Amino acid sequence: MSRVAAIIGGGVIGGGWAARFLLNGWDVRVFDPDPQAARKIGEVLDNARHALPMLYDVALPDEGRLSFCPTMSETVAGAEWIQESVPERLALKRKVFQTIQEHCDPGAVIGSSTSGFKPSELQGCATRAEQIVVTHPFNPVYLLPLVELVTSPANDAGLVARAQDTLTALGLYPLHLTQEIDAHIADRLLEAVWREALWLVHDGIATTAEIDDAIRMGFGLRWAQMGLFETYRIAGGEAGMKHFIDQFGPALAWPWTKLMDVPDMTDALAQRIADQSDAQSGHLSIRQLERKRDNNLIAMMRALRQQGNAAGRLINTHNAQLPRPAAAPDGPLITQDRVIPVDWTDRNGHMNEGRYGQIFSDAADAVLDRIGAGPDYIAAGHSYFTVETGLRFLAETHAGERVEVQTRITQGTGKKLRCWHEMRRKADGTRLATCDQLMIHVGLDTRRSCDPRPDILAKVEALAAAHQRLAPLTSG
Ligand SMILES: NC(=O)C1=CN([C@@H]2O[C@H](COP(=O)(O)OP(=O)(O)OC[C@H]3O[C@@H](n4cnc5c(N)ncnc54)[C@H](O)[C@@H]3O)[C@@H](O)[C@H]2O)C=CC1
Ligand SMILES: C[N+](C)(C)CC(=O)CC(=O)[O-]
């Protein structure tokens, strides 16, 4: 049975949470009095469906069911997780928690998306304070992993542990703050940058576009992969962090920043920011900007996956935990079931020919894992090398499409392992490409061909014999 999440408030953030749960297979119920809520969530969901699956090398679970409820009581009844994302007003949030707690399961996690309130403030008028935690996400919630999980002494330890497990299983990174503080950690940092940026516009020193360039051409790139302290450690050179502090610490006392002052947000300043922002990005709709942002985020996080660093390491772990495709026992192997990521496409707007080599190579790895010739076998000094491939491109493949590769072993004798891979579009079964691949068994000490271990060969022969009995291949 599907797990159920209740989303209270389905705006920018509630919509992102709904998408995160749905795409991880949860059923989602939404309560939002805005008559436009279903349309808005639908649009966020379209973006999320386009983006999130591209992060992974295996398909996500089947999407859960989305429903909209007319009352909060129906929304939360029986839900395992309740995520509050109503506007940032303490009185409103407390009232919402009271209604939620009248109708929800006392064991359910109630997470608040609040950007600034402390859990003890939210728990103030609650019937069961122990149930309410802050789970502060980052926009877009369906792509960015960080969730600040902020708890107070009133929280139940078991519930907090469950909250951490659930967030992790959703591919999120719960950063647990056990000391509550206004605006948590990340928003304190963001607010400091935001404050300085407002001053720069207010004082006519920089435009919104120039400030954005100053971030994205430089330190923004550093932050995504090493954060602040690790970056500055390197900036201290061989002498390291201590030297960095000695050198730059005194600068904090110089008038480099406006520190805690905030410019008066007059109508004139607000208009100046809005006009500059229109000049910078007004040619794109919000949904187009979101697509651009999401594609960039996917490409960057996939690059971090390749390096196994920062958010990439987290996504690799989640990727490894996703269920692998299962084949019918008497059918071909299902060696790939995945979505084509945006960084696999080329200037013709379709999957680049080099990536077909990649997907069939990944399919071959799945075959090798299946016969026991995976990483352990390689570590023991044996492997298979590809010596020949014949590729055919039969139809265009585009970013965001889910594809499946079916593989048959067409020769499994001695050193030779020959595979026939077919890649099909999941939505309609269209055959997109085929690959005839010959691999030869090698000894990694000599880098020359040799016979496989008998147990490996026995598995190859058994699979080859089973695949011989399959219905002949069709050209459809
Ligand atoms: N927008 C952002 O970048 C981020 C916002 N947050 C936090 O998320 C929360 C929501 O913010 P946004 O999604 O940006 O606001 P939003 O204005 O986009 O959405 C709020 C939604 O709540 C609905 N709503 C109002 N009263 C309600 C009620 N009584 N019951 C159910 N729904 C109700 C509104 O109709 C609206 O759809 C806030 O606490 C905010 O601090 C957290 C992270 C980032
Ligand atoms: C502007 N904000 C304070 C609502 C931002 C956040 O809370 C997190 C984010 O997504 O930047």
Side-chain angles (χ1 to χ4, degrees), residues 115 136-139 187 190-191:
S115 301
H136 175 234
F138 290 77
N139 192 29
D187 275 355
L190 286 174
E191 290 296 310

Side-chain angles (χ1 to χ4, degrees), residues 13 88 113-116 136-141 144 148 183-184 186-187 190-191 194:
I13 293 304
E88 189 75 350
S113 299
T114 179
S115 301
H136 175 234
F138 290 77
N139 192 29
V141 184
L144 293 189
E148 290 178 299
H184 329 310
D187 275 355
L190 286 174
E191 290 296 310
W194 177 231

Side-chain angles (χ1 to χ4, degrees), residues 23 49-50 53-54 56-64 322-326 334 336-341 344 351 359 396-405 422-432:
L23 292 180
R49 285 189 188 114
H50 165 81
M54 291 200 272
Y56 298 100
D57 301 332
V58 279
L60 288 170
D62 288 344
E63 193 174 310
L322 289 169
R324 305 289 121 173
I334 309 290
Q336 290 289 288
D337 180 357
R338 61 164 304 145
V339 166
I340 303 304
W344 280 19
M351 179 161 147
I359 202 166
E396 287 187 297
T397 310
H398 298 105
E401 280 183 334
R402 183 166 167 188
V403 299
E404 182 177 278
V405 176
E422 291 195 351
M423 179 173 111
R424 290 178 186 269
R425 189 183 296 131
K426 262 294 233 204
D428 60 8
T430 300
R431 206 159 63 135
L432 301 165

Side-chain angles (χ1 to χ4, degrees), residues 153-410:
N155 283 120
D156 172 69
L159 183 132
V160 172
R162 256 190 303 122
Q164 281 177 305
D165 288 349
T166 301
L167 293 168
T168 305
L170 290 167
L172 291 162
Y173 182 76
L175 182 65
H176 188 189
L177 280 66
T178 48
Q179 297 209 29
E180 46 176 11
I181 173 179
D182 293 321
H184 329 310
I185 295 178
D187 275 355
R188 297 285 285 241
L189 299 170
L190 286 174
E191 290 296 310
V193 176
W194 177 231
R195 207 166 41 231
E196 293 305 314
L198 290 179
W199 275 122
L200 292 169
V201 178
H202 173 272
D203 294 348
I205 290 164
T207 62
T208 58
E210 287 166 339
I211 292 168
D212 285 351
D213 280 347
I215 296 171
R216 63 185 161 199
M217 297 297 171
F219 64 85
L221 290 168
R222 291 194 312 223
W223 279 359
Q225 45 83 45
M226 277 195 169
L228 184 64
F229 283 99
E230 203 164 29
T231 298
Y232 279 171
R233 180 184 178 82
I234 297 172
E238 286 180 13
M241 197 65 181
K242 179 72 172 55
H243 171 66
F244 179 83
I245 304 260
D246 289 345
Q247 191 180 358
F248 295 105
L252 295 176
W254 303 343
W256 277 14
T257 69
K258 294 271 186 181
L259 297 175
M260 295 306 290
D261 294 343
V262 181
D264 279 343
M265 189 48 79
T266 59
D267 287 350
L269 178 57
Q271 196 56 52
R272 184 189 300 181
I273 294 170
D275 289 346
Q276 290 183 1
S277 176
D278 284 351
Q280 184 186 352
S281 321
H283 58 291
L284 296 174
S285 71
I286 291 298
R287 297 295 173 221
Q288 286 171 320
L289 278 171
E290 284 174 348
R291 274 287 166 114
K292 183 175 154 183
R293 174 202 64 193
D294 290 357
N295 284 344
N296 289 338
L297 286 172
I298 292 285
M300 289 191 292
M301 287 196 276
R302 287 184 57 79
L304 290 170
R305 279 198 61 188
Q306 201 269 333
Q307 292 298 311
N309 281 328
R313 189 169 56 228
L314 178 90
I315 296 159
N316 285 344
T317 305
H318 192 216
N319 187 74
Q321 287 160 355
L322 289 169
R324 305 289 121 173
D330 50 355
L333 302 175
I334 309 290
T335 48
Q336 290 289 288
D337 180 357
R338 61 164 304 145
V339 166
I340 303 304
V342 69
D343 54 320
W344 280 19
T345 55
D346 60 20
R347 61 187 184 178
N348 288 323
H350 57 202
M351 179 161 147
N352 180 260
E353 64 204 72
R355 297 299 183 173
Y356 289 84
Q358 161 125 35
I359 202 166
F360 290 127
S361 167
D362 293 345
D365 279 348
V367 173
L368 297 178
D369 287 344
R370 168 70 185 258
I371 60 170
D376 290 347
Y377 191 63
I378 291 171
H382 315 278
S383 193
Y384 280 90
F385 287 177
T386 299
V387 292
E388 193 180 309
T389 51
L391 286 172
R392 286 177 69 219
F393 309 106
L394 304 171
E396 287 187 297
T397 310
H398 298 105
E401 280 183 334
R402 183 166 167 188
V403 299
E404 182 177 278
V405 176
Q406 295 190 357
T407 301
R408 297 168 182 228
I409 295 185
T410 49

Side-chain angles (χ1 to χ4, degrees), residues 37-94:
R39 176 188 61 77
K40 290 182 190 167
I41 291 187
E43 289 178 12
V44 172
L45 197 48
D46 280 348
N47 275 353
R49 285 189 188 114
H50 165 81
L52 184 66
M54 291 200 272
L55 265 188
Y56 298 100
D57 301 332
V58 279
L60 288 170
D62 288 344
E63 193 174 310
R65 246 171 10 100
L66 172 65
S67 53
F68 291 85
C69 299
T71 62
M72 216 183 293
S73 53
E74 281 173 72
T75 317
V76 302
E80 179 181 336
W81 187 286
I82 297 152
Q83 186 66 33
E84 170 277 309
S85 305
V86 303
E88 189 75 350
R89 298 199 300 272
L90 186 56
L92 172 64
K93 287 188 186 278
R94 284 179 165 182

